[in-house]
Amino acid sequence: MTRSTELFHQAQAIIPGGVNSPVRAFKGVGGDPIFFKQGKGAYLVDVDNNEYIDYVGSWGPLILGHCHPAVIEAVNKVLHSGMSFGAPTELEIQLAEKITSLIPSIEKVRMVNSGTEATMTAIRLARGVTKKNKFIKFNGCYHGHSDSLLVKAGSGLLTLGIPSTPGIPQSVTEHTLTANFNNLEQTAQLFEKFPDDIAAVILEPVAGNMGFVLPEPEFLNGLRQLCDQHNALLIFDEVMTGFRVGLTGAQGVFGITPDITTLGKVIGGGMPVGALGGKAEIMSFLAPEGPVYQAGTLSGNPLAMAAGLATLSEIEKPGFFDRLIETTQSLTQALASVAETLNIPFFTASLGGMFGFCFTEKKRIADYADVAASDEVLFKKFYHGMLDKGIYFAPSMYEAGFVSSAHGEHEVAKTQMAAEEVLSQLKK
């Protein structure tokens, strides 16, 4: 028995399911989860001293790889000054200024502790600003685990096959409207049905919790127009895509201006963090400036602010995203070429430092149903085969993957070689 398996059995006795976040339990791929003890650059080391190329990156934040010297130095400096004050620090201002300088749609930003907090607050803010009740979300998009957003959500809920969850009264979700991702017609029909009571539309501009799904060319533009026509706010959940697909987020890549943006992951450089930002007139509704209440003891935590500031300072250097995009595309092209050579149905796509793949005949993946229709049995076998070869992908068909600046030609070549061996074996 491995040390990881021993620890998992130990954890199950004292932690629900043995994990502190459901996808970690490997329910989506089978087997026992791996317990890690160390990360360095593009690599992880587990408790049994096995080394892996890491394409999870703590689910996105580690765009510089593990233990980047600039981030470690920044956190170490703050660590010795005090880990938490529950009071303002200069670092909060510096990170807020950095964010607003990089994303034009954000004039003011409120720091919180997680992506869930950010999206929950964004919905509350939108309702407070518009004085409307309902909002639209998209099937398969995951916006954290707050009650009203946990309807037909993605990520762990898809992996575990749970369409919703007990513990949430129907009265809480009666104002949550859902449509299929990339389906503008369904969204328009919801606006027609509730023309005066939709406060907001919230979505991941690039869906990363139902696999990896890019928006259709006119989808985001159409949502912007619908929101303008009906005096609703457009919320981009860029917790995953923010500073991950490009220096100005997905909104910069696609040229769309949302009213509110939620951020997380990269802006904390590996520390727990979240944020929401938007036009000053909208953000001014938040307490203590306005009537919409939100608070948090650890919001703006100095360790998280320092790690985030150090990370953003690195990624804004010239050529950073050019190199990151090149590496990510090299990876997806390598995987695709292996599958093509072996005549195995395969789809892959990427944007910035995010990517995804699934085993399917489809040439286009538009929504959750397309991903769900792919070959999950083959995915599970491929996943474990790659894991045995020292390649760590996300343990779910419904999760995006991530590449860091620490990944390079060597890691891509090693991944390609492993994929050739694994898929050749599975083909037999």
PDB file of all heavy atoms in Angstrom, residues 221-250:
ATOM      1  N   ASN A 221     -20.726  38.880 -27.549  1.00  0.00           N
ATOM      2  CA  ASN A 221     -21.270  40.137 -28.084  1.00  0.00           C
ATOM      3  C   ASN A 221     -22.776  40.193 -27.904  1.00  0.00           C
ATOM      4  O   ASN A 221     -23.337  41.228 -27.523  1.00  0.00           O
ATOM      5  CB  ASN A 221     -20.942  40.258 -29.580  1.00  0.00           C
ATOM      6  CG  ASN A 221     -19.659  41.046 -29.813  1.00  0.00           C
ATOM      7  OD1 ASN A 221     -19.413  42.059 -29.169  1.00  0.00           O
ATOM      8  ND2 ASN A 221     -18.834  40.561 -30.718  1.00  0.00           N
ATOM      9  N   GLY A 222     -23.424  39.068 -28.197  1.00  0.00           N
ATOM     10  CA  GLY A 222     -24.882  39.006 -28.076  1.00  0.00           C
ATOM     11  C   GLY A 222     -25.345  39.195 -26.639  1.00  0.00           C
ATOM     12  O   GLY A 222     -26.358  39.868 -26.385  1.00  0.00           O
ATOM     13  N   LEU A 223     -24.618  38.626 -25.685  1.00  0.00           N
ATOM     14  CA  LEU A 223     -24.961  38.800 -24.270  1.00  0.00           C
ATOM     15  C   LEU A 223     -24.816  40.258 -23.856  1.00  0.00           C
ATOM     16  O   LEU A 223     -25.660  40.795 -23.124  1.00  0.00           O
ATOM     17  CB  LEU A 223     -24.063  37.915 -23.399  1.00  0.00           C
ATOM     18  CG  LEU A 223     -24.244  36.404 -23.519  1.00  0.00           C
ATOM     19  CD1 LEU A 223     -23.278  35.684 -22.589  1.00  0.00           C
ATOM     20  CD2 LEU A 223     -25.678  35.991 -23.218  1.00  0.00           C
ATOM     21  N   ARG A 224     -23.771  40.894 -24.334  1.00  0.00           N
ATOM     22  CA  ARG A 224     -23.561  42.311 -24.018  1.00  0.00           C
ATOM     23  C   ARG A 224     -24.745  43.150 -24.530  1.00  0.00           C
ATOM     24  O   ARG A 224     -25.262  44.019 -23.830  1.00  0.00           O
ATOM     25  CB  ARG A 224     -22.247  42.771 -24.657  1.00  0.00           C
ATOM     26  CG  ARG A 224     -21.860  44.236 -24.493  1.00  0.00           C
ATOM     27  CD  ARG A 224     -21.499  44.629 -23.066  1.00  0.00           C
ATOM     28  NE  ARG A 224     -22.664  44.963 -22.266  1.00  0.00           N
ATOM     29  CZ  ARG A 224     -22.610  45.254 -20.965  1.00  0.00           C
ATOM     30  NH1 ARG A 224     -21.459  45.228 -20.325  1.00  0.00           N
ATOM     31  NH2 ARG A 224     -23.713  45.541 -20.306  1.00  0.00           N
ATOM     32  N   GLN A 225     -25.188  42.856 -25.740  1.00  0.00           N
ATOM     33  CA  GLN A 225     -26.300  43.592 -26.342  1.00  0.00           C
ATOM     34  C   GLN A 225     -27.604  43.337 -25.600  1.00  0.00           C
ATOM     35  O   GLN A 225     -28.383  44.271 -25.337  1.00  0.00           O
ATOM     36  CB  GLN A 225     -26.436  43.215 -27.813  1.00  0.00           C
ATOM     37  CG  GLN A 225     -25.286  43.717 -28.678  1.00  0.00           C
ATOM     38  CD  GLN A 225     -25.288  43.113 -30.074  1.00  0.00           C
ATOM     39  OE1 GLN A 225     -26.272  42.501 -30.486  1.00  0.00           O
ATOM     40  NE2 GLN A 225     -24.181  43.279 -30.794  1.00  0.00           N
ATOM     41  N   LEU A 226     -27.859  42.081 -25.223  1.00  0.00           N
ATOM     42  CA  LEU A 226     -29.078  41.752 -24.485  1.00  0.00           C
ATOM     43  C   LEU A 226     -29.121  42.465 -23.132  1.00  0.00           C
ATOM     44  O   LEU A 226     -30.167  42.978 -22.720  1.00  0.00           O
ATOM     45  CB  LEU A 226     -29.186  40.238 -24.282  1.00  0.00           C
ATOM     46  CG  LEU A 226     -29.644  39.410 -25.478  1.00  0.00           C
ATOM     47  CD1 LEU A 226     -29.476  37.918 -25.198  1.00  0.00           C
ATOM     48  CD2 LEU A 226     -31.097  39.714 -25.823  1.00  0.00           C
ATOM     49  N   CYS A 227     -27.992  42.482 -22.448  1.00  0.00           N
ATOM     50  CA  CYS A 227     -27.932  43.152 -21.147  1.00  0.00           C
ATOM     51  C   CYS A 227     -28.179  44.657 -21.298  1.00  0.00           C
ATOM     52  O   CYS A 227     -28.895  45.264 -20.488  1.00  0.00           O
ATOM     53  CB  CYS A 227     -26.580  42.899 -20.482  1.00  0.00           C
ATOM     54  SG  CYS A 227     -26.394  41.233 -19.821  1.00  0.00           S
ATOM     55  N   ASP A 228     -27.611  45.243 -22.337  1.00  0.00           N
ATOM     56  CA  ASP A 228     -27.817  46.679 -22.575  1.00  0.00           C
ATOM     57  C   ASP A 228     -29.284  46.978 -22.882  1.00  0.00           C
ATOM     58  O   ASP A 228     -29.846  47.962 -22.387  1.00  0.00           O
ATOM     59  CB  ASP A 228     -26.936  47.153 -23.739  1.00  0.00           C
ATOM     60  CG  ASP A 228     -25.456  47.182 -23.377  1.00  0.00           C
ATOM     61  OD1 ASP A 228     -25.147  47.172 -22.163  1.00  0.00           O
ATOM     62  OD2 ASP A 228     -24.616  47.206 -24.298  1.00  0.00           O
ATOM     63  N   GLN A 229     -29.906  46.121 -23.674  1.00  0.00           N
ATOM     64  CA  GLN A 229     -31.303  46.329 -24.068  1.00  0.00           C
ATOM     65  C   GLN A 229     -32.252  46.233 -22.876  1.00  0.00           C
ATOM     66  O   GLN A 229     -33.269  46.927 -22.820  1.00  0.00           O
ATOM     67  CB  GLN A 229     -31.712  45.291 -25.119  1.00  0.00           C
ATOM     68  CG  GLN A 229     -31.081  45.481 -26.485  1.00  0.00           C
ATOM     69  CD  GLN A 229     -31.272  44.254 -27.373  1.00  0.00           C
ATOM     70  OE1 GLN A 229     -32.131  43.403 -27.114  1.00  0.00           O
ATOM     71  NE2 GLN A 229     -30.464  44.154 -28.419  1.00  0.00           N
ATOM     72  N   HIS A 230     -31.910  45.376 -21.917  1.00  0.00           N
ATOM     73  CA  HIS A 230     -32.823  45.109 -20.795  1.00  0.00           C
ATOM     74  C   HIS A 230     -32.332  45.675 -19.466  1.00  0.00           C
ATOM     75  O   HIS A 230     -32.847  45.297 -18.397  1.00  0.00           O
ATOM     76  CB  HIS A 230     -33.052  43.601 -20.681  1.00  0.00           C
ATOM     77  CG  HIS A 230     -33.742  43.011 -21.866  1.00  0.00           C
ATOM     78  ND1 HIS A 230     -35.112  42.981 -21.999  1.00  0.00           N
ATOM     79  CD2 HIS A 230     -33.251  42.438 -22.995  1.00  0.00           C
ATOM     80  CE1 HIS A 230     -35.446  42.399 -23.144  1.00  0.00           C
ATOM     81  NE2 HIS A 230     -34.336  42.057 -23.772  1.00  0.00           N
ATOM     82  N   ASN A 231     -31.362  46.570 -19.521  1.00  0.00           N
ATOM     83  CA  ASN A 231     -30.835  47.201 -18.301  1.00  0.00           C
ATOM     84  C   ASN A 231     -30.418  46.170 -17.248  1.00  0.00           C
ATOM     85  O   ASN A 231     -30.740  46.293 -16.061  1.00  0.00           O
ATOM     86  CB  ASN A 231     -31.864  48.166 -17.702  1.00  0.00           C
ATOM     87  CG  ASN A 231     -32.152  49.333 -18.635  1.00  0.00           C
ATOM     88  OD1 ASN A 231     -31.220  49.942 -19.169  1.00  0.00           O
ATOM     89  ND2 ASN A 231     -33.421  49.624 -18.852  1.00  0.00           N
ATOM     90  N   ALA A 232     -29.725  45.146 -17.713  1.00  0.00           N
ATOM     91  CA  ALA A 232     -29.164  44.131 -16.822  1.00  0.00           C
ATOM     92  C   ALA A 232     -27.642  44.268 -16.845  1.00  0.00           C
ATOM     93  O   ALA A 232     -27.071  44.831 -17.786  1.00  0.00           O
ATOM     94  CB  ALA A 232     -29.576  42.737 -17.278  1.00  0.00           C
ATOM     95  N   LEU A 233     -26.993  43.757 -15.822  1.00  0.00           N
ATOM     96  CA  LEU A 233     -25.536  43.827 -15.754  1.00  0.00           C
ATOM     97  C   LEU A 233     -24.912  42.533 -16.282  1.00  0.00           C
ATOM     98  O   LEU A 233     -25.432  41.444 -16.022  1.00  0.00           O
ATOM     99  CB  LEU A 233     -25.071  44.070 -14.317  1.00  0.00           C
ATOM    100  CG  LEU A 233     -25.575  45.349 -13.639  1.00  0.00           C
ATOM    101  CD1 LEU A 233     -24.905  45.531 -12.272  1.00  0.00           C
ATOM    102  CD2 LEU A 233     -25.327  46.574 -14.506  1.00  0.00           C
ATOM    103  N   LEU A 234     -23.835  42.666 -17.004  1.00  0.00           N
ATOM    104  CA  LEU A 234     -23.095  41.505 -17.514  1.00  0.00           C
ATOM    105  C   LEU A 234     -21.921  41.237 -16.582  1.00  0.00           C
ATOM    106  O   LEU A 234     -21.047  42.097 -16.402  1.00  0.00           O
ATOM    107  CB  LEU A 234     -22.598  41.771 -18.933  1.00  0.00           C
ATOM    108  CG  LEU A 234     -21.796  40.638 -19.596  1.00  0.00           C
ATOM    109  CD1 LEU A 234     -22.625  39.363 -19.703  1.00  0.00           C
ATOM    110  CD2 LEU A 234     -21.290  41.070 -20.972  1.00  0.00           C
ATOM    111  N   ILE A 235     -21.920  40.052 -15.976  1.00  0.00           N
ATOM    112  CA  ILE A 235     -20.859  39.677 -15.036  1.00  0.00           C
ATOM    113  C   ILE A 235     -19.972  38.622 -15.689  1.00  0.00           C
ATOM    114  O   ILE A 235     -20.446  37.542 -16.051  1.00  0.00           O
ATOM    115  CB  ILE A 235     -21.434  39.119 -13.722  1.00  0.00           C
ATOM    116  CG1 ILE A 235     -22.374  40.127 -13.058  1.00  0.00           C
ATOM    117  CG2 ILE A 235     -20.296  38.738 -12.762  1.00  0.00           C
ATOM    118  CD1 ILE A 235     -23.140  39.549 -11.873  1.00  0.00           C
ATOM    119  N   PHE A 236     -18.704  38.914 -15.840  1.00  0.00           N
ATOM    120  CA  PHE A 236     -17.730  37.930 -16.307  1.00  0.00           C
ATOM    121  C   PHE A 236     -17.053  37.314 -15.091  1.00  0.00           C
ATOM    122  O   PHE A 236     -16.387  38.008 -14.328  1.00  0.00           O
ATOM    123  CB  PHE A 236     -16.669  38.588 -17.196  1.00  0.00           C
ATOM    124  CG  PHE A 236     -17.023  38.614 -18.669  1.00  0.00           C
ATOM    125  CD1 PHE A 236     -18.300  38.351 -19.101  1.00  0.00           C
ATOM    126  CD2 PHE A 236     -16.049  38.913 -19.614  1.00  0.00           C
ATOM    127  CE1 PHE A 236     -18.628  38.375 -20.449  1.00  0.00           C
ATOM    128  CE2 PHE A 236     -16.358  38.954 -20.966  1.00  0.00           C
ATOM    129  CZ  PHE A 236     -17.650  38.681 -21.390  1.00  0.00           C
ATOM    130  N   ASP A 237     -17.258  36.014 -14.921  1.00  0.00           N
ATOM    131  CA  ASP A 237     -16.544  35.285 -13.877  1.00  0.00           C
ATOM    132  C   ASP A 237     -15.182  34.905 -14.448  1.00  0.00           C
ATOM    133  O   ASP A 237     -15.037  33.899 -15.126  1.00  0.00           O
ATOM    134  CB  ASP A 237     -17.340  34.046 -13.470  1.00  0.00           C
ATOM    135  CG  ASP A 237     -16.646  33.225 -12.387  1.00  0.00           C
ATOM    136  OD1 ASP A 237     -15.468  33.526 -12.070  1.00  0.00           O
ATOM    137  OD2 ASP A 237     -17.261  32.273 -11.877  1.00  0.00           O
ATOM    138  N   GLU A 238     -14.188  35.727 -14.151  1.00  0.00           N
ATOM    139  CA  GLU A 238     -12.827  35.483 -14.640  1.00  0.00           C
ATOM    140  C   GLU A 238     -11.917  34.994 -13.515  1.00  0.00           C
ATOM    141  O   GLU A 238     -10.714  35.230 -13.523  1.00  0.00           O
ATOM    142  CB  GLU A 238     -12.266  36.745 -15.301  1.00  0.00           C
ATOM    143  CG  GLU A 238     -13.021  37.187 -16.550  1.00  0.00           C
ATOM    144  CD  GLU A 238     -12.103  37.576 -17.690  1.00  0.00           C
ATOM    145  OE1 GLU A 238     -11.115  36.849 -17.932  1.00  0.00           O
ATOM    146  OE2 GLU A 238     -12.368  38.615 -18.319  1.00  0.00           O
ATOM    147  N   VAL A 239     -12.525  34.314 -12.544  1.00  0.00           N
ATOM    148  CA  VAL A 239     -11.728  33.707 -11.475  1.00  0.00           C
ATOM    149  C   VAL A 239     -10.668  32.791 -12.088  1.00  0.00           C
ATOM    150  O   VAL A 239      -9.514  32.771 -11.651  1.00  0.00           O
ATOM    151  CB  VAL A 239     -12.632  32.925 -10.499  1.00  0.00           C
ATOM    152  CG1 VAL A 239     -11.798  32.044  -9.569  1.00  0.00           C
ATOM    153  CG2 VAL A 239     -13.475  33.900  -9.679  1.00  0.00           C
ATOM    154  N   MET A 240     -11.071  32.058 -13.122  1.00  0.00           N
ATOM    155  CA  MET A 240     -10.140  31.137 -13.767  1.00  0.00           C
ATOM    156  C   MET A 240      -9.382  31.792 -14.928  1.00  0.00           C
ATOM    157  O   MET A 240      -8.174  31.633 -15.067  1.00  0.00           O
ATOM    158  CB  MET A 240     -10.894  29.906 -14.266  1.00  0.00           C
ATOM    159  CG  MET A 240     -10.002  28.749 -14.674  1.00  0.00           C
ATOM    160  SD  MET A 240     -10.950  27.277 -15.125  1.00  0.00           S
ATOM    161  CE  MET A 240     -11.465  26.692 -13.514  1.00  0.00           C
ATOM    162  N   THR A 241     -10.093  32.558 -15.754  1.00  0.00           N
ATOM    163  CA  THR A 241      -9.478  33.114 -16.970  1.00  0.00           C
ATOM    164  C   THR A 241      -8.696  34.396 -16.726  1.00  0.00           C
ATOM    165  O   THR A 241      -7.827  34.752 -17.515  1.00  0.00           O
ATOM    166  CB  THR A 241     -10.552  33.395 -18.035  1.00  0.00           C
ATOM    167  OG1 THR A 241     -11.534  34.286 -17.491  1.00  0.00           O
ATOM    168  CG2 THR A 241     -11.229  32.114 -18.483  1.00  0.00           C
ATOM    169  N   GLY A 242      -9.005  35.099 -15.642  1.00  0.00           N
ATOM    170  CA  GLY A 242      -8.355  36.376 -15.383  1.00  0.00           C
ATOM    171  C   GLY A 242      -6.851  36.253 -15.225  1.00  0.00           C
ATOM    172  O   GLY A 242      -6.375  35.510 -14.368  1.00  0.00           O
ATOM    173  N   PHE A 243      -6.097  36.958 -16.080  1.00  0.00           N
ATOM    174  CA  PHE A 243      -4.624  36.915 -16.103  1.00  0.00           C
ATOM    175  C   PHE A 243      -4.101  35.509 -16.413  1.00  0.00           C
ATOM    176  O   PHE A 243      -2.934  35.217 -16.220  1.00  0.00           O
ATOM    177  CB  PHE A 243      -4.025  37.410 -14.780  1.00  0.00           C
ATOM    178  CG  PHE A 243      -4.465  38.798 -14.422  1.00  0.00           C
ATOM    179  CD1 PHE A 243      -5.284  39.036 -13.340  1.00  0.00           C
ATOM    180  CD2 PHE A 243      -4.074  39.870 -15.202  1.00  0.00           C
ATOM    181  CE1 PHE A 243      -5.715  40.311 -13.020  1.00  0.00           C
ATOM    182  CE2 PHE A 243      -4.495  41.163 -14.901  1.00  0.00           C
ATOM    183  CZ  PHE A 243      -5.318  41.390 -13.801  1.00  0.00           C
ATOM    184  N   ARG A 244      -4.969  34.647 -16.926  1.00  0.00           N
ATOM    185  CA  ARG A 244      -4.593  33.282 -17.242  1.00  0.00           C
ATOM    186  C   ARG A 244      -4.602  33.060 -18.754  1.00  0.00           C
ATOM    187  O   ARG A 244      -3.737  32.415 -19.308  1.00  0.00           O
ATOM    188  CB  ARG A 244      -5.610  32.366 -16.562  1.00  0.00           C
ATOM    189  CG  ARG A 244      -5.318  30.872 -16.382  1.00  0.00           C
ATOM    190  CD  ARG A 244      -3.979  30.428 -16.635  1.00  0.00           C
ATOM    191  NE  ARG A 244      -3.326  29.792 -15.504  1.00  0.00           N
ATOM    192  CZ  ARG A 244      -2.229  29.058 -15.616  1.00  0.00           C
ATOM    193  NH1 ARG A 244      -1.681  28.834 -16.787  1.00  0.00           N
ATOM    194  NH2 ARG A 244      -1.632  28.566 -14.560  1.00  0.00           N
ATOM    195  N   VAL A 245      -5.614  33.640 -19.430  1.00  0.00           N
ATOM    196  CA  VAL A 245      -5.689  33.513 -20.893  1.00  0.00           C
ATOM    197  C   VAL A 245      -5.041  34.702 -21.589  1.00  0.00           C
ATOM    198  O   VAL A 245      -4.838  34.695 -22.800  1.00  0.00           O
ATOM    199  CB  VAL A 245      -7.150  33.356 -21.374  1.00  0.00           C
ATOM    200  CG1 VAL A 245      -7.772  32.104 -20.772  1.00  0.00           C
ATOM    201  CG2 VAL A 245      -7.988  34.578 -21.051  1.00  0.00           C
ATOM    202  N   GLY A 246      -4.724  35.730 -20.820  1.00  0.00           N
ATOM    203  CA  GLY A 246      -4.079  36.915 -21.369  1.00  0.00           C
ATOM    204  C   GLY A 246      -3.946  37.967 -20.289  1.00  0.00           C
ATOM    205  O   GLY A 246      -4.588  37.871 -19.237  1.00  0.00           O
ATOM    206  N   LEU A 247      -3.150  38.967 -20.543  1.00  0.00           N
ATOM    207  CA  LEU A 247      -2.863  39.987 -19.525  1.00  0.00           C
ATOM    208  C   LEU A 247      -4.091  40.825 -19.194  1.00  0.00           C
ATOM    209  O   LEU A 247      -4.173  41.416 -18.115  1.00  0.00           O
ATOM    210  CB  LEU A 247      -1.711  40.884 -19.992  1.00  0.00           C
ATOM    211  CG  LEU A 247      -1.083  41.802 -18.942  1.00  0.00           C
ATOM    212  CD1 LEU A 247      -0.559  41.009 -17.754  1.00  0.00           C
ATOM    213  CD2 LEU A 247       0.038  42.636 -19.556  1.00  0.00           C
ATOM    214  N   THR A 248      -5.055  40.896 -20.116  1.00  0.00           N
ATOM    215  CA  THR A 248      -6.279  41.650 -19.856  1.00  0.00           C
ATOM    216  C   THR A 248      -7.487  40.720 -19.692  1.00  0.00           C
ATOM    217  O   THR A 248      -8.632  41.149 -19.801  1.00  0.00           O
ATOM    218  CB  THR A 248      -6.555  42.653 -20.998  1.00  0.00           C
ATOM    219  OG1 THR A 248      -6.522  41.955 -22.252  1.00  0.00           O
ATOM    220  CG2 THR A 248      -5.499  43.738 -21.024  1.00  0.00           C
ATOM    221  N   GLY A 249      -7.217  39.445 -19.424  1.00  0.00           N
ATOM    222  CA  GLY A 249      -8.281  38.474 -19.211  1.00  0.00           C
ATOM    223  C   GLY A 249      -9.000  38.120 -20.494  1.00  0.00           C
ATOM    224  O   GLY A 249      -8.656  38.587 -21.581  1.00  0.00           O
ATOM    225  N   ALA A 250     -10.045  37.305 -20.355  1.00  0.00           N
ATOM    226  CA  ALA A 250     -10.825  36.905 -21.527  1.00  0.00           C
ATOM    227  C   ALA A 250     -11.524  38.105 -22.151  1.00  0.00           C
ATOM    228  O   ALA A 250     -11.696  38.176 -23.365  1.00  0.00           O
ATOM    229  CB  ALA A 250     -11.854  35.840 -21.126  1.00  0.00           C
TER     230      ALA A 250
END
